[in-house]
Amino acid sequence: MKLQRKSMLRASALGALVVSGALVLTACGSDDNTKTADGTAKPSAAAGDIKCDDAKGKLLASGSSAQKNAVELWVKNYMAACPGVEVNYKSSSSGEGIVAFNQGTVGFAGSDSALKPEQVEESKKICTGGQGINLPMVGGPVALGFNIAGVEKLNLDAATIANIFNDKIKKWDDEAIKKLNPGVTLPSTAIQAFHRSDDSGTTENVTKYLKAAAPDAWPHEAAKKWAAPGGQAASGSAGVAAQVKQVDGSIGYFELSFASSQGIKTVDLNTGAAAPVKATGENASKAIAAAKIAGTGSDLALKLDYTTKAEGAYPLVLVTYEIVCDKGNKAETLPTVKSFLNYTASDAGQKVLLENGYAPIPAEINTKVREAISKLG
């Protein structure tokens, strides 16, 4: 698979790009999501949509595995349009990405949660004369994937999800689940709940949702590190998805693109709206559109509404930020950082998201993202 991906990158470079190093996207699994089900390449942006400007050399980045599939496609398109430039994104976790950023080893980091005050303070040691800021770039639903033999459709509400992951509901034919799924024959199979083993922004967003939407059933604080008892752990979104794919009676959380690429069925959320809401990019966008900007200046950290009951709004969402210095970025990589992020925030770059199970950042917010990128120094 790794050789196949390398061949794809080389072939797509219009014959002019020599890849000097492998695109590192293997920390969360080796599944290739740059192709459609029939093996053909997914649509990529035309070279004319990408402005290489003064980009050159190698740009290192790391962090969120939630955005792995999006970044993989962005990097493929960007490197094809900008011969001589190598963008190397290591998909690990939001926590590891922030650590790498604050150690000065990467040009930008991906994180599914905004920098905390102490992390901003730490970033000032690296961002000479500035600080780390959050630029929302990737939106999308966190899918609850399930694998229950004989069950094709499953509705759950926040309280029931909380009790499943809290190890209080142990079998799929529990009365609480049956009540939400009239007419569905549920087996007495034991529930195998999978969560992330690493510090994860996806975990933080899931626990924020549970804490907001089911506070009585979820006593734990929202955090990157999983705190609930029971369940089984796996590394990265791809690791959790792989377990759900293999284990009968399982449920786990990961970004929709992982479910779509592996044919994993996903839970519809009973939010209190007229009908349960499916995990789709469009439905996630409806929820993200209600977000408020909580950051100041160039920092565009968002406050999401996890309790919305709006029709068709899927509230279990995350927004992945690209974390950069507002001032004090490394001179040798700044042109490439700005060029690459200008593409990801462009109409073409955001279109890639919707085509691959993510949700574009709402236009009003994305306009501010583009302005912030233009001012990076």
Side-chain angles (χ1 to χ4, degrees):
M1 184 66 71
K2 194 176 288 185
L3 290 174
Q4 180 186 20
R5 181 178 293 122
K6 193 178 291 184
S7 298
M8 289 170 60
L9 288 167
R10 287 172 174 163
S12 66
L14 307 179
L17 174 62
V18 177
V19 179
S20 61
L23 172 62
V24 181
L25 288 168
T26 57
C28 288
S30 59
D31 47 308
D32 187 347
N33 296 289
T34 63
K35 289 187 174 183
T36 57
D38 63 4
T40 59
K42 290 183 178 179
S44 61
D49 294 329
I50 298 173
K51 293 181 174 59
C52 304
D53 297 325
D54 297 322
K56 60 184 178 181
K58 181 185 290 187
L59 171 63
L60 299 179
S62 69
S64 164
S65 67
Q67 67 173 11
K68 167 187 178 288
N69 298 333
V71 174
E72 184 176 40
L73 289 164
W74 280 336
V75 167
K76 169 176 168 284
N77 294 344
Y78 182 80
M79 288 173 59
C82 299
V85 181
E86 181 185 350
V87 180
N88 187 315
Y89 181 82
K90 181 182 178 182
S91 171
S92 50
S93 69
S94 298
E96 291 181 45
I98 291 172
V99 168
F101 177 76
N102 279 339
Q103 290 176 343
T105 60
V106 294
F108 71 88
S111 176
D112 309 334
S113 55
L115 291 168
K116 291 179 168 50
E118 61 270 22
Q119 293 168 333
V120 173
E121 193 61 32
E122 187 178 355
S123 75
K124 293 177 181 178
K125 300 174 185 176
I126 298 299
C127 304
T128 306
Q131 64 181 45
I133 58 171
N134 306 281
L135 300 179
M137 198 68 69
V138 181
V142 179
L144 291 163
F146 69 93
N147 179 357
I148 311 168
V151 177
E152 296 297 317
K153 182 177 174 58
L154 186 67
N155 300 326
L156 295 175
D157 60 15
T160 305
I161 295 165
N163 285 326
I164 287 172
F165 282 100
N166 252 334
D167 204 30
K168 291 188 175 180
I169 294 179
K170 299 180 181 292
K171 293 185 179 294
W172 282 113
D173 62 351
D174 187 276
E175 287 301 320
I177 301 176
K178 289 167 68 174
K179 184 177 179 180
L180 293 165
N181 294 273
V184 177
T185 301
L186 293 162
S188 60
T189 308
I191 295 174
Q192 306 287 333
F194 287 91
H195 58 265
R196 290 279 290 271
S197 60
D198 46 334
D199 285 5
S200 159
T202 309
T203 295
E204 185 168 15
N205 280 276
V206 169
T207 54
K208 281 181 178 178
Y209 163 73
L210 294 175
K211 187 70 174 176
D216 293 338
W218 190 258
H220 318 288
E221 292 303 315
K224 289 186 174 72
K225 187 174 183 64
W226 187 257
Q232 301 175 62
S235 178
S237 291
V240 175
Q243 292 298 318
V244 173
K245 176 78 172 177
Q246 296 169 10
V247 178
D248 182 33
S250 61
I251 186 170
Y253 58 87
F254 33 80
E255 295 65 45
L256 180 61
S257 61
F258 290 91
S260 301
S261 66
Q262 298 188 50
I264 298 172
K265 296 181 287 292
T266 61
V267 170
D268 293 350
L269 289 184
N270 186 325
T271 64
V277 185
K278 294 185 178 300
T280 68
E282 292 87 347
N283 291 344
S285 284
K286 292 176 184 177
I288 295 170
K292 305 296 183 185
I293 294 176
T296 58
S298 293
D299 183 67
L300 299 174
L302 300 177
K303 181 175 177 59
L304 298 168
D305 181 5
Y306 296 102
T307 62
T308 180
K309 294 179 174 58
E311 298 300 327
Y314 184 88
L316 181 45
V317 296
L318 61 75
V319 170
T320 293
Y321 301 95
E322 310 312 336
I323 294 172
V324 293
C325 299
D326 56 358
K327 302 295 180 186
N329 291 282
K330 293 180 181 178
E332 62 269 27
T333 56
L334 177 59
T336 309
V337 168
K338 293 181 73 170
S339 172
F340 180 69
L341 294 184
N342 272 326
Y343 162 55
T344 64
S346 70
D347 290 340
Q350 290 292 296
K351 184 180 178 184
V352 166
L353 299 180
L354 194 56
E355 291 171 347
N356 292 277
Y358 292 96
I361 300 300
E364 182 180 348
I365 298 171
N366 198 39
T367 296
K368 291 179 170 43
V369 172
R370 295 177 189 178
E371 291 174 359
I373 293 169
S374 72
K375 295 176 183 176
L376 297 180

